[in-house]
Coordinates of all heavy atoms in Angstrom, one line a residue:
M182 N -1.5 10.0 -2.1 CA -2.7 9.3 -2.4 C -3.3 8.7 -1.1 O -2.6 8.2 -0.3 CB -2.5 8.1 -3.4 CG -2.2 8.5 -4.8 SD -2.1 7.1 -5.9 CE -0.7 6.2 -5.2
T183 N -4.6 8.7 -1.1 CA -5.3 8.1 0.0 C -5.5 6.6 -0.3 O -5.3 6.2 -1.5 CB -6.7 8.7 0.3 OG1 -7.5 8.4 -0.9 CG2 -6.6 10.2 0.5
Y184 N -5.8 5.8 0.7 CA -6.1 4.4 0.4 C -7.3 4.2 -0.6 O -7.3 3.3 -1.4 CB -6.4 3.6 1.7 CG -5.2 3.4 2.6 CD1 -5.1 4.0 3.8 CD2 -4.1 2.6 2.1 CE1 -4.0 3.8 4.7 CE2 -3.0 2.4 3.0 CZ -3.0 3.0 4.2 OH -1.9 2.8 5.0
Y185 N -8.2 5.1 -0.5 CA -9.4 5.1 -1.4 C -8.9 5.4 -2.9 O -9.4 4.7 -3.8 CB -10.5 6.0 -1.0 CG -11.1 5.7 0.3 CD1 -10.8 6.4 1.5 CD2 -11.9 4.6 0.5 CE1 -11.3 6.1 2.7 CE2 -12.5 4.3 1.7 CZ -12.1 5.0 2.8 OH -12.7 4.7 4.0
E186 N -8.0 6.3 -3.0 CA -7.5 6.7 -4.4 C -6.6 5.5 -4.9 O -6.7 5.2 -6.1 CB -6.6 7.9 -4.3 CG -7.4 9.2 -4.0 CD -6.6 10.4 -3.7 OE1 -5.5 10.2 -3.1 OE2 -7.1 11.5 -4.0
V187 N -5.9 4.8 -4.1 CA -5.1 3.6 -4.5 C -6.1 2.6 -5.0 O -5.9 2.0 -6.1 CB -4.3 3.1 -3.3 CG1 -3.8 1.7 -3.6 CG2 -3.2 4.0 -3.0
A188 N -7.2 2.3 -4.3 CA -8.2 1.3 -4.7 C -8.8 1.7 -6.1 O -9.0 0.9 -7.0 CB -9.3 1.2 -3.7
E189 N -9.1 3.0 -6.3 CA -9.6 3.5 -7.6 C -8.6 3.2 -8.7 O -9.0 2.8 -9.8 CB -10.0 5.0 -7.5 CG -11.2 5.3 -6.7 CD -11.5 6.8 -6.5 OE1 -10.9 7.6 -7.3 OE2 -12.3 7.1 -5.7
K190 N -7.4 3.6 -8.5 CA -6.4 3.4 -9.5 C -6.2 1.9 -9.8 O -6.1 1.6 -11.0 CB -5.0 4.0 -9.1 CG -5.0 5.5 -9.2 CD -3.6 6.0 -8.7 CE -3.4 7.5 -9.0 NZ -3.0 7.7 -10.4
M191 N -6.1 1.1 -8.8 CA -6.0 -0.3 -9.0 C -7.2 -0.9 -9.8 O -7.0 -1.8 -10.7 CB -5.7 -1.1 -7.7 CG -4.3 -0.7 -7.1 SD -4.0 -1.6 -5.6 CE -3.6 -3.2 -6.2
T192 N -8.4 -0.5 -9.4 CA -9.6 -0.9 -10.1 C -9.4 -0.6 -11.6 O -9.7 -1.4 -12.5 CB -10.8 -0.3 -9.5 OG1 -11.0 -0.7 -8.2 CG2 -12.1 -0.6 -10.4
A193 N -9.0 0.6 -11.9 CA -8.9 1.0 -13.3 C -7.9 0.3 -14.1 O -8.1 -0.2 -15.2 CB -8.6 2.5 -13.4
I194 N -6.7 0.0 -13.5 CA -5.6 -0.6 -14.1 C -5.9 -2.1 -14.3 O -5.6 -2.7 -15.3 CB -4.3 -0.4 -13.4 CG1 -3.9 1.1 -13.5 CG2 -3.2 -1.2 -13.9 CD1 -2.8 1.6 -12.6
L195 N -6.4 -2.8 -13.2 CA -6.5 -4.2 -13.2 C -7.8 -4.7 -13.8 O -8.0 -5.9 -14.1 CB -6.4 -4.7 -11.7 CG -5.1 -4.4 -11.0 CD1 -5.2 -4.8 -9.5 CD2 -4.0 -5.1 -11.7
G196 N -8.8 -3.8 -14.0 CA -10.0 -4.2 -14.6 C -10.9 -5.0 -13.7 O -11.8 -5.8 -14.2
R197 N -10.7 -4.9 -12.4 CA -11.6 -5.6 -11.4 C -11.7 -4.7 -10.2 O -10.8 -3.9 -9.9 CB -11.1 -7.0 -11.0 CG -9.9 -7.0 -10.2 CD -9.5 -8.5 -9.9 NE -8.4 -8.6 -9.0 CZ -8.5 -8.7 -7.6 NH1 -9.6 -8.7 -7.1 NH2 -7.4 -8.8 -6.9
E198 N -12.8 -4.8 -9.5 CA -13.1 -3.9 -8.4 C -12.1 -4.1 -7.2 O -12.0 -5.3 -6.7 CB -14.5 -3.9 -7.9 CG -14.8 -2.9 -6.9 CD -16.2 -2.8 -6.5 OE1 -17.0 -3.7 -6.8 OE2 -16.6 -1.8 -5.8
I199 N -11.5 -3.1 -6.8 CA -10.6 -3.1 -5.6 C -11.2 -2.1 -4.6 O -11.5 -1.0 -5.0 CB -9.1 -2.7 -5.9 CG1 -8.6 -3.6 -7.0 CG2 -8.3 -2.7 -4.6 CD1 -8.4 -5.1 -6.6
T200 N -11.4 -2.5 -3.4 CA -12.0 -1.6 -2.4 C -11.1 -1.5 -1.2 O -10.3 -2.3 -0.9 CB -13.4 -2.1 -1.9 OG1 -13.3 -3.4 -1.3 CG2 -14.4 -2.2 -3.1
Y201 N -11.3 -0.4 -0.4 CA -10.6 -0.2 0.8 C -11.6 -0.1 1.9 O -12.6 0.7 1.8 CB -9.8 1.1 0.8 CG -9.2 1.5 2.1 CD1 -8.3 0.6 2.8 CD2 -9.5 2.7 2.7 CE1 -7.8 0.9 4.0 CE2 -9.0 3.0 3.9 CZ -8.2 2.1 4.6 OH -7.7 2.5 5.8
S202 N -11.5 -1.0 2.9 CA -12.6 -1.0 3.9 C -12.2 -0.3 5.2 O -13.0 -0.3 6.1 CB -12.9 -2.5 4.3 OG -11.7 -3.1 4.8
K203 N -11.1 0.3 5.3 CA -10.6 1.0 6.5 C -10.7 0.2 7.8 O -11.4 0.5 8.7 CB -11.3 2.4 6.7 CG -10.6 3.3 7.6 CD -11.3 4.6 7.7 CE -10.5 5.5 8.7 NZ -11.0 6.8 8.8
P204 N -10.0 -0.9 7.8 CA -10.1 -1.8 9.0 C -9.4 -1.2 10.2 O -8.5 -0.3 10.1 CB -9.3 -3.0 8.6 CG -8.3 -2.5 7.6 CD -9.0 -1.4 6.8
S205 N -9.9 -1.6 11.4 CA -9.2 -1.1 12.6 C -7.8 -1.8 12.7 O -7.5 -2.7 11.9 CB -10.0 -1.6 13.8 OG -9.9 -3.0 13.9
L206 N -7.0 -1.3 13.5 CA -5.6 -1.8 13.6 C -5.6 -3.3 14.0 O -4.9 -4.1 13.4 CB -4.8 -1.1 14.7 CG -4.5 0.4 14.3 CD1 -3.7 1.0 15.5 CD2 -3.6 0.5 13.1
L207 N -6.5 -3.7 14.9 CA -6.6 -5.1 15.3 C -7.1 -6.0 14.2 O -6.6 -7.1 14.0 CB -7.4 -5.3 16.6 CG -6.8 -4.7 17.8 CD1 -7.8 -4.8 19.0 CD2 -5.5 -5.3 18.2
R208 N -8.1 -5.5 13.5 CA -8.6 -6.3 12.3 C -7.6 -6.4 11.2 O -7.4 -7.4 10.6 CB -9.9 -5.6 11.8 CG -10.5 -6.4 10.8 CD -11.9 -5.9 10.4 NE -12.5 -6.7 9.4 CZ -13.6 -6.4 8.7 NH1 -14.2 -5.3 9.0 NH2 -14.0 -7.2 7.8
F209 N -6.9 -5.3 11.0 CA -5.8 -5.3 9.9 C -4.8 -6.4 10.3 O -4.4 -7.2 9.5 CB -5.2 -3.9 9.8 CG -4.0 -3.9 8.9 CD1 -4.2 -3.7 7.6 CD2 -2.7 -3.9 9.4 CE1 -3.1 -3.7 6.7 CE2 -1.6 -3.9 8.6 CZ -1.8 -3.8 7.2
R210 N -4.3 -6.3 11.5 CA -3.3 -7.3 12.0 C -3.8 -8.7 11.9 O -3.1 -9.6 11.3 CB -2.8 -7.0 13.4 CG -1.7 -7.9 13.9 CD -1.3 -7.5 15.3 NE -0.2 -8.3 15.8 CZ -0.4 -9.5 16.4 NH1 -1.6 -10.0 16.6 NH2 0.6 -10.2 16.8
A211 N -5.0 -9.0 12.4 CA -5.6 -10.3 12.3 C -5.7 -10.8 10.9 O -5.5 -12.0 10.6 CB -6.9 -10.3 13.0
T212 N -6.1 -9.9 10.0 CA -6.3 -10.3 8.6 C -5.0 -10.7 7.9 O -5.0 -11.8 7.2 CB -7.0 -9.2 7.8 OG1 -8.3 -8.9 8.4 CG2 -7.2 -9.6 6.3
I213 N -4.0 -9.9 8.1 CA -2.7 -10.3 7.5 C -2.1 -11.5 8.1 O -1.4 -12.3 7.4 CB -1.8 -9.1 7.4 CG1 -1.4 -8.6 8.8 CG2 -2.3 -8.0 6.5 CD1 -0.3 -7.4 8.7
I214 N -2.3 -11.7 9.4 CA -1.8 -13.0 10.0 C -2.5 -14.2 9.4 O -1.9 -15.2 9.1 CB -1.9 -12.9 11.5 CG1 -0.8 -11.9 12.0 CG2 -1.7 -14.3 12.1 CD1 -0.9 -11.6 13.5
K215 N -3.9 -14.0 9.3 CA -4.7 -15.1 8.7 C -4.2 -15.4 7.3 O -4.3 -16.6 6.9 CB -6.1 -14.7 8.7 CG -7.1 -15.7 8.3 CD -8.6 -15.2 8.4 CE -9.5 -16.3 7.9 NZ -10.9 -15.8 8.0
R216 N -3.7 -14.4 6.6 CA -3.3 -14.7 5.2 C -1.9 -15.2 5.1 O -1.3 -15.4 4.1 CB -3.3 -13.4 4.4 CG -4.8 -12.9 4.2 CD -4.8 -11.6 3.4 NE -6.1 -11.1 3.2 CZ -6.5 -9.9 2.7 NH1 -5.5 -9.1 2.5 NH2 -7.7 -9.6 2.6
G217 N -1.3 -15.5 6.3 CA 0.0 -16.1 6.3 C 1.2 -15.2 6.7 O 2.4 -15.7 6.6
T218 N 1.0 -14.0 7.0 CA 2.1 -13.1 7.3 C 2.6 -13.5 8.7 O 1.8 -13.6 9.7 CB 1.7 -11.6 7.4 OG1 1.2 -11.3 6.1 CG2 2.8 -10.7 7.7
P219 N 3.9 -13.7 8.9 CA 4.4 -14.0 10.2 C 4.1 -12.9 11.2 O 4.1 -11.7 10.9 CB 6.0 -14.1 10.0 CG 6.1 -14.4 8.6 CD 5.0 -13.7 7.9
K220 N 3.8 -13.3 12.5 CA 3.4 -12.3 13.5 C 4.4 -11.1 13.7 O 3.9 -10.0 13.8 CB 3.1 -13.0 14.8 CG 1.9 -13.8 14.8 CD 1.6 -14.4 16.1 CE 0.4 -15.3 16.0 NZ 0.1 -16.0 17.3
A221 N 5.7 -11.4 13.7 CA 6.6 -10.3 13.8 C 6.5 -9.3 12.7 O 6.5 -8.0 12.9 CB 8.0 -10.8 13.9
F222 N 6.4 -9.7 11.5 CA 6.2 -8.8 10.3 C 4.9 -8.2 10.3 O 4.7 -7.0 10.0 CB 6.5 -9.6 9.0 CG 6.6 -8.7 7.8 CD1 7.6 -7.7 7.8 CD2 5.7 -8.8 6.8 CE1 7.7 -6.8 6.7 CE2 5.8 -7.9 5.7 CZ 6.8 -6.9 5.6
A223 N 3.9 -8.9 10.8 CA 2.5 -8.3 10.9 C 2.5 -7.1 11.9 O 1.8 -6.1 11.7 CB 1.5 -9.4 11.3
N224 N 3.3 -7.2 12.9 CA 3.4 -6.1 13.9 C 4.0 -4.9 13.2 O 3.6 -3.8 13.4 CB 4.3 -6.6 15.1 CG 3.6 -7.6 15.9 OD1 2.4 -7.8 15.9 ND2 4.3 -8.3 16.7
V225 N 5.1 -5.1 12.4 CA 5.7 -4.0 11.7 C 4.7 -3.4 10.7 O 4.6 -2.2 10.7 CB 7.0 -4.5 10.9 CG1 7.5 -3.4 10.0 CG2 8.0 -4.9 11.9
M226 N 4.0 -4.2 9.9 CA 3.0 -3.7 9.0 C 1.9 -2.9 9.7 O 1.5 -1.9 9.2 CB 2.5 -4.9 8.2 CG 3.5 -5.5 7.2 SD 2.8 -6.9 6.3 CE 1.5 -6.1 5.3
T227 N 1.5 -3.4 10.8 CA 0.4 -2.8 11.6 C 0.9 -1.4 12.1 O 0.1 -0.4 12.0 CB 0.0 -3.6 12.8 OG1 -0.5 -4.9 12.3 CG2 -1.1 -3.0 13.6
M228 N 2.1 -1.3 12.5 CA 2.7 0.0 13.0 C 2.8 0.9 11.8 O 2.4 2.1 11.9 CB 4.1 -0.2 13.6 CG 4.6 1.1 14.2 SD 3.5 1.9 15.4 CE 3.5 0.8 16.7
L229 N 3.2 0.5 10.6 CA 3.2 1.3 9.4 C 1.9 1.8 9.0 O 1.6 2.9 8.7 CB 3.9 0.6 8.3 CG 5.4 0.3 8.5 CD1 5.9 -0.6 7.3 CD2 6.2 1.6 8.5
Y230 N 0.9 0.9 9.1 CA -0.5 1.2 8.8 C -1.0 2.3 9.8 O -1.6 3.3 9.4 CB -1.4 0.0 8.9 CG -2.8 0.2 8.6 CD1 -3.2 0.7 7.4 CD2 -3.8 -0.1 9.5 CE1 -4.6 0.9 7.1 CE2 -5.2 0.1 9.3 CZ -5.5 0.6 8.0 OH -6.9 0.7 7.7
F231 N -0.7 2.2 11.1 CA -1.0 3.2 12.1 C -0.4 4.5 11.8 O -1.1 5.5 11.9 CB -0.6 2.7 13.5 CG -0.8 3.7 14.6 CD1 -2.0 4.0 15.0 CD2 0.3 4.3 15.1 CE1 -2.2 5.0 16.0 CE2 0.2 5.2 16.1 CZ -1.1 5.6 16.6
I232 N 0.9 4.5 11.4 CA 1.6 5.8 11.1 C 0.9 6.5 10.0 O 0.7 7.7 10.0 CB 3.1 5.5 10.8 CG1 3.8 5.1 12.1 CG2 3.7 6.7 10.2 CD1 5.2 4.5 11.9
T233 N 0.5 5.7 8.9 CA -0.1 6.4 7.8 C -1.5 6.9 8.2 O -1.9 8.0 7.7 CB -0.2 5.5 6.6 OG1 -1.0 4.3 6.9 CG2 1.1 5.1 6.1
Q234 N -2.2 6.2 9.0 CA -3.5 6.6 9.5 C -3.4 7.9 10.3 O -4.4 8.7 10.3 CB -4.3 5.5 10.3 CG -4.9 4.5 9.5 CD -5.7 3.5 10.3 OE1 -5.5 3.4 11.5 NE2 -6.7 3.0 9.6
M235 N -2.3 8.1 11.0 CA -2.1 9.3 11.8 C -1.7 10.5 10.9 O -1.6 11.6 11.4 CB -1.1 9.0 12.9 CG -1.5 8.0 13.9 SD -3.0 8.3 14.7 CE -2.5 9.8 15.7
G236 N -1.5 10.3 9.6 CA -1.2 11.4 8.7 C 0.3 11.7 8.6 O 0.7 12.7 8.0
N237 N 1.1 10.8 9.1 CA 2.6 11.0 9.1 C 3.2 10.7 7.8 O 4.4 10.9 7.6 CB 3.3 10.2 10.2 CG 2.9 10.8 11.6 OD1 2.6 11.9 11.8 ND2 2.9 9.9 12.6
A238 N 2.5 10.2 6.8 CA 3.0 9.9 5.5 C 2.5 10.8 4.4 O 2.6 10.4 3.2 CB 2.7 8.4 5.2
K239 N 2.0 11.9 4.8 CA 1.4 12.8 3.8 C 2.4 13.6 3.0 O 2.1 13.9 1.8 CB 0.4 13.8 4.5 CG -0.8 13.2 4.9 CD -1.8 14.2 5.5 CE -3.1 13.5 6.0 NZ -4.0 14.4 6.5
Q240 N 3.5 13.9 3.6 CA 4.5 14.7 2.9 C 5.3 13.9 1.8 O 5.7 12.8 2.1 CB 5.5 15.3 3.9 CG 6.6 16.2 3.2 CD 7.5 16.7 4.3 OE1 7.5 16.3 5.4 NE2 8.4 17.6 3.8
I241 N 5.4 14.4 0.6 CA 6.2 13.8 -0.4 C 7.6 14.4 -0.4 O 7.7 15.6 -0.5 CB 5.5 13.9 -1.8 CG1 4.2 13.2 -1.7 CG2 6.4 13.3 -2.9 CD1 3.3 13.4 -3.0
T242 N 8.6 13.6 -0.4 CA 10.0 14.1 -0.4 C 10.7 13.6 -1.6 O 10.3 12.7 -2.3 CB 10.7 13.6 0.9 OG1 10.9 12.2 0.8 CG2 10.0 14.0 2.2
P243 N 11.8 14.3 -2.0 CA 12.6 13.9 -3.1 C 13.6 12.8 -2.8 O 14.5 12.5 -3.6 CB 13.3 15.2 -3.5 CG 13.5 15.9 -2.2 CD 12.2 15.6 -1.4
T244 N 13.5 12.2 -1.7 CA 14.6 11.2 -1.2 C 14.8 10.1 -2.2 O 15.9 9.7 -2.5 CB 14.2 10.7 0.2 OG1 14.1 11.8 1.1 CG2 15.3 9.8 0.7
A245 N 13.7 9.5 -2.7 CA 13.9 8.3 -3.6 C 14.6 8.8 -4.8 O 15.5 8.1 -5.3 CB 12.5 7.7 -3.9
K246 N 14.2 9.9 -5.4 CA 14.9 10.4 -6.6 C 16.4 10.7 -6.3 O 17.2 10.3 -7.2 CB 14.2 11.6 -7.1 CG 14.8 12.2 -8.4 CD 14.0 13.4 -8.9 CE 14.6 14.0 -10.1 NZ 13.9 15.2 -10.6
E247 N 16.6 11.2 -5.2 CA 18.0 11.6 -4.8 C 18.9 10.3 -4.7 O 20.0 10.2 -5.1 CB 18.1 12.4 -3.6 CG 17.5 13.8 -3.7 CD 17.3 14.5 -2.4 OE1 17.5 13.9 -1.3 OE2 16.9 15.7 -2.5
L248 N 18.3 9.3 -4.1 CA 19.0 8.0 -3.9 C 19.2 7.2 -5.2 O 20.2 6.6 -5.4 CB 18.3 7.1 -2.8 CG 18.4 7.7 -1.4 CD1 17.5 6.8 -0.5 CD2 19.8 7.7 -0.9
L249 N 18.1 7.2 -6.0 CA 18.1 6.4 -7.2 C 18.8 7.1 -8.4 O 19.2 6.5 -9.4 CB 16.7 6.1 -7.6 CG 15.9 5.3 -6.7 CD1 14.4 5.2 -7.1 CD2 16.4 3.9 -6.6
H250 N 18.9 8.5 -8.3 CA 19.4 9.3 -9.4 C 18.6 9.2 -10.6 O 19.1 9.4 -11.8 CB 20.9 8.9 -9.7 CG 21.8 9.1 -8.5 ND1 22.2 10.3 -8.0 CD2 22.4 8.1 -7.7 CE1 22.9 10.1 -7.0 NE2 23.1 8.8 -6.8
H251 N 17.3 8.9 -10.5 CA 16.3 9.0 -11.5 C 14.9 9.0 -10.9 O 14.8 8.8 -9.7 CB 16.4 7.8 -12.5 CG 16.2 6.5 -11.9 ND1 15.0 6.0 -11.6 CD2 17.1 5.5 -11.5 CE1 15.1 4.8 -11.1 NE2 16.4 4.5 -11.0
E252 N 13.9 9.3 -11.7 CA 12.6 9.4 -11.2 C 12.2 8.0 -10.7 O 12.4 7.0 -11.3 CB 11.6 9.8 -12.3 CG 11.7 11.3 -12.6 CD 11.3 12.3 -11.5 OE1 10.4 11.9 -10.7 OE2 11.9 13.3 -11.5
P253 N 11.5 8.0 -9.5 CA 11.0 6.7 -9.0 C 9.8 6.2 -9.9 O 9.2 7.0 -10.6 CB 10.6 6.9 -7.6 CG 10.4 8.4 -7.5 CD 11.3 9.0 -8.5
T254 N 9.6 4.9 -9.8 CA 8.4 4.3 -10.6 C 7.1 4.9 -10.0 O 6.9 5.0 -8.8 CB 8.4 2.8 -10.4 OG1 9.7 2.3 -10.9 CG2 7.3 2.2 -11.2
S255 N 6.2 5.3 -10.9 CA 4.9 5.8 -10.4 C 4.1 4.6 -9.9 O 4.4 3.5 -10.2 CB 4.2 6.5 -11.6 OG 3.8 5.5 -12.5
F256 N 3.1 5.0 -9.1 CA 2.2 3.9 -8.6 C 1.5 3.2 -9.7 O 1.4 2.0 -9.7 CB 1.2 4.5 -7.6 CG 0.3 3.4 -7.0 CD1 0.8 2.5 -6.1 CD2 -1.0 3.3 -7.5 CE1 0.0 1.5 -5.6 CE2 -1.8 2.3 -7.0 CZ -1.3 1.4 -6.0
D257 N 1.0 3.9 -10.7 CA 0.4 3.3 -11.8 C 1.3 2.3 -12.5 O 0.8 1.2 -12.9 CB -0.1 4.4 -12.8 CG -1.2 5.2 -12.3 OD1 -1.6 5.2 -11.1 OD2 -1.8 6.0 -13.1
Q258 N 2.5 2.7 -12.8 CA 3.5 1.8 -13.4 C 3.8 0.6 -12.6 O 3.9 -0.5 -13.1 CB 4.7 2.6 -13.8 CG 5.6 1.8 -14.7 CD 5.0 1.4 -16.0 OE1 4.5 2.3 -16.7 NE2 5.0 0.1 -16.4
Y259 N 3.9 0.8 -11.3 CA 4.1 -0.3 -10.4 C 3.0 -1.4 -10.5 O 3.3 -2.6 -10.6 CB 4.3 0.2 -8.9 CG 4.4 -0.9 -7.9 CD1 5.6 -1.5 -7.6 CD2 3.3 -1.4 -7.2 CE1 5.7 -2.5 -6.7 CE2 3.4 -2.4 -6.3 CZ 4.6 -3.0 -6.0 OH 4.7 -4.0 -5.1
V260 N 1.8 -0.9 -10.4 CA 0.6 -1.8 -10.5 C 0.7 -2.6 -11.9 O 0.5 -3.8 -12.0 CB -0.7 -1.1 -10.3 CG1 -1.9 -2.0 -10.6 CG2 -0.8 -0.5 -8.9
K261 N 1.0 -1.8 -12.9 CA 1.1 -2.5 -14.3 C 2.2 -3.5 -14.3 O 2.0 -4.6 -14.8 CB 1.3 -1.4 -15.4 CG 0.1 -0.5 -15.6 CD 0.4 0.6 -16.5 CE -0.7 1.6 -16.7 NZ -0.4 2.8 -17.4
D262 N 3.4 -3.1 -13.8 CA 4.5 -4.0 -13.8 C 4.3 -5.3 -13.0 O 4.8 -6.4 -13.3 CB 5.8 -3.3 -13.2 CG 6.3 -2.2 -14.1 OD1 5.9 -2.2 -15.3 OD2 7.2 -1.5 -13.7
Y263 N 3.5 -5.2 -11.9 CA 3.3 -6.4 -11.0 C 1.9 -6.8 -11.0 O 1.4 -7.5 -10.1 CB 3.7 -6.0 -9.6 CG 5.2 -5.8 -9.5 CD1 5.8 -4.5 -9.7 CD2 6.1 -6.9 -9.4 CE1 7.2 -4.3 -9.7 CE2 7.5 -6.7 -9.4 CZ 8.0 -5.4 -9.5 OH 9.3 -5.3 -9.5
R264 N 1.2 -6.6 -12.1 CA -0.2 -6.9 -12.3 C -0.6 -8.3 -11.9 O -1.6 -8.6 -11.3 CB -0.6 -6.6 -13.8 CG -1.9 -7.1 -14.2 CD -2.1 -6.9 -15.7 NE -3.5 -6.9 -16.0 CZ -4.3 -5.9 -16.2 NH1 -3.7 -4.7 -16.2 NH2 -5.6 -6.0 -16.4
E265 N 0.3 -9.3 -12.4 CA 0.0 -10.7 -12.1 C -0.1 -11.0 -10.6 O -0.8 -12.0 -10.2 CB 1.0 -11.6 -12.8 CG 2.4 -11.6 -12.2 CD 3.3 -10.6 -12.9 OE1 2.8 -9.7 -13.7 OE2 4.5 -10.6 -12.7
Y266 N 0.6 -10.3 -9.8 CA 0.5 -10.5 -8.3 C -0.8 -10.0 -7.7 O -1.1 -10.4 -6.6 CB 1.7 -9.8 -7.6 CG 3.0 -10.4 -8.1 CD1 3.8 -9.8 -9.0 CD2 3.4 -11.7 -7.5 CE1 5.0 -10.4 -9.4 CE2 4.6 -12.2 -7.9 CZ 5.4 -11.6 -8.8 OH 6.6 -12.2 -9.2
F267 N -1.5 -9.1 -8.4 CA -2.7 -8.6 -7.9 C -4.0 -9.3 -8.4 O -5.1 -9.0 -7.9 CB -2.8 -7.1 -8.2 CG -1.8 -6.2 -7.6 CD1 -0.8 -5.6 -8.4 CD2 -1.7 -6.0 -6.3 CE1 0.2 -4.8 -7.9 CE2 -0.7 -5.3 -5.7 CZ 0.3 -4.6 -6.5
L268 N -3.8 -10.1 -9.4 CA -5.0 -10.8 -9.9 C -5.3 -12.2 -9.3 O -4.7 -12.7 -8.5 CB -4.8 -11.0 -11.4 CG -4.7 -9.7 -12.2 CD1 -4.3 -10.0 -13.7 CD2 -5.9 -8.9 -12.1

């Protein structure tokens, strides 16, 4: 899923508009630090954001299913299960 598709799914499930603004890496880092994320963790999150922007997270593997020995939770179900954290 793209970040835009994630926003669309969350909008449909949560019943309120969720948008993706495609922030630059520096803006992304600054925003999450402003929201209270410790700088060291913000650095890790920024690197993960960079990696996905570079397209390195496009491949879907069966690793989660192999480790869990069952189907992993779908994104839709995850949003439903943790709905109160997104509202």
Side-chain angles (χ1 to χ4, degrees):
M182 286 187 295
T183 67
Y184 288 116
Y185 297 106
E186 291 168 332
V187 167
E189 286 177 13
K190 285 179 169 278
M191 290 181 76
T192 295
I194 294 167
L195 300 174
R197 69 179 185 96
E198 186 176 13
I199 305 293
T200 61
Y201 171 61
S202 62
K203 195 175 183 179
S205 69
L206 292 176
L207 292 177
R208 185 172 180 190
F209 175 81
R210 184 177 180 275
T212 299
I213 60 176
I214 289 172
K215 185 177 178 181
R216 291 180 180 168
T218 302
K220 288 182 180 178
F222 190 60
N224 292 339
V225 171
M226 290 177 64
T227 302
M228 185 55 66
L229 292 171
Y230 181 60
F231 173 71
I232 289 169
T233 59
Q234 282 190 331
M235 297 302 295
N237 293 331
K239 288 184 178 179
Q240 182 181 6
I241 297 172
T242 67
T244 305
K246 182 178 178 180
E247 291 168 358
L248 291 171
L249 297 170
H250 302 289
H251 62 78
E252 289 293 328
T254 302
S255 69
F256 181 74
D257 289 12
Q258 189 61 52
Y259 174 83
V260 174
K261 290 174 187 173
D262 290 349
Y263 293 93
R264 173 188 198 97
E265 68 270 12
Y266 295 99
F267 298 114
L268 298 175

